[in-house]
Amino acid sequence: MTETAGGADVLTSQAMVVLNDRPVVPLSPAISQALTECERTNRTLQLVTHATSRLTLPLRASKAQWLVHDDGYYEGLTGRPMHWNGTAFVPLPDARDYAPTYTTPPADPIGSQLVLTFQARHASEAVLGAHTEKLMRLITGVPPKGWGTTEPLQHPWNPEDLTAHITSATTARVIAIGASSRPTMATSDFSPLISPASGMAEMTTLTIGYTDDEDPPITQLPSFIDLLSADHPLTALLAQLIPGRPDLTTEPRWTGSSAPIGLASAGAYTGPPGFSRKRLGPPDAPITWFHLGDGYSPEYWQRHQDLLTHLRRTP
């Protein structure tokens, strides 16, 4: 085995394999370093855990491939059976079904995760993180508690410090965690706008956990977006509901399909026909909310695709 800066249990020309059987596996500094090294060397980071392990949200959102060891191997997020071919874990050629453990129901009750993914553009002098702070305040009642690039998070919440970090890097992914008792976490990617524009582009996914006996604030989302866009304009926002653990960790088991709630897009739209629309935001920076579904019906993803097709064709 070749020694690497990030550390590895197996290293080949195709993959870096890291074994980790902790009950909860976070995006630690070591794993982050391994991801950076894999990107530089064109390898895939293949993280192998036991079937009882769970991933944190930032690690799940990373480029690491999750492999689960349980009487064989399978992909933790898809249930696809895998095997080692000498250079990397690859799909088992003759597999015709999901791995048995993947289809075993979780031991604990499954709640729901409200997921809001938004895009925004920022001027060069803007203080970053304001969208995340405002949304967390609106939904949970309190601002973020801290931010960082790996877990556990390194810094108390301070938008000025966060901005200084982001603007000093070519591209930056940061994590923010909520301060309320309700599990809340955001992962944000920032990158410079393409010249001749100046400033930063942001894509953030904010996730809030709810137990199986709680109702996420689905009907309040348009008012939240209206209040947010009054001070912090958006380019777009997609709201969906995902069955999952309320603590926002992920088990290597099937818990159900996500379902859309609505899509907000910058501009004042009059179509397409058949879609419920609501005008939000200030008059000089309007945003249109399109209702898609109840958050519990995955078949409404087709409406989402139809809407995207219409919006792409709209000047």
Side-chain angles (χ1 to χ4, degrees), residues 237-249:
L237 183 148
L238 173 66
Q240 60 182 303
L241 208 59
I242 299 178
R245 292 177 60 96
D247 65 4
L248 306 185
T249 61

Side-chain angles (χ1 to χ4, degrees), residues 17 47 73 88 98 134 165 191 195 200 229 269 292 297 300:
V17 180
L47 177 68
Y73 295 88
Y98 299 108
K134 184 68 174 287
H165 166 79
S191 58
S195 180
M200 282 283 179
S229 57
Y269 295 91
L292 295 173
S297 305
Y300 285 120

Side-chain angles (χ1 to χ4, degrees), residues 243-265:
R245 292 177 60 96
D247 65 4
L248 306 185
T249 61
T250 299
E251 297 183 44
R253 288 170 177 78
W254 171 250
T255 57
S257 298
S258 65
I261 299 169
L263 174 71
S265 182

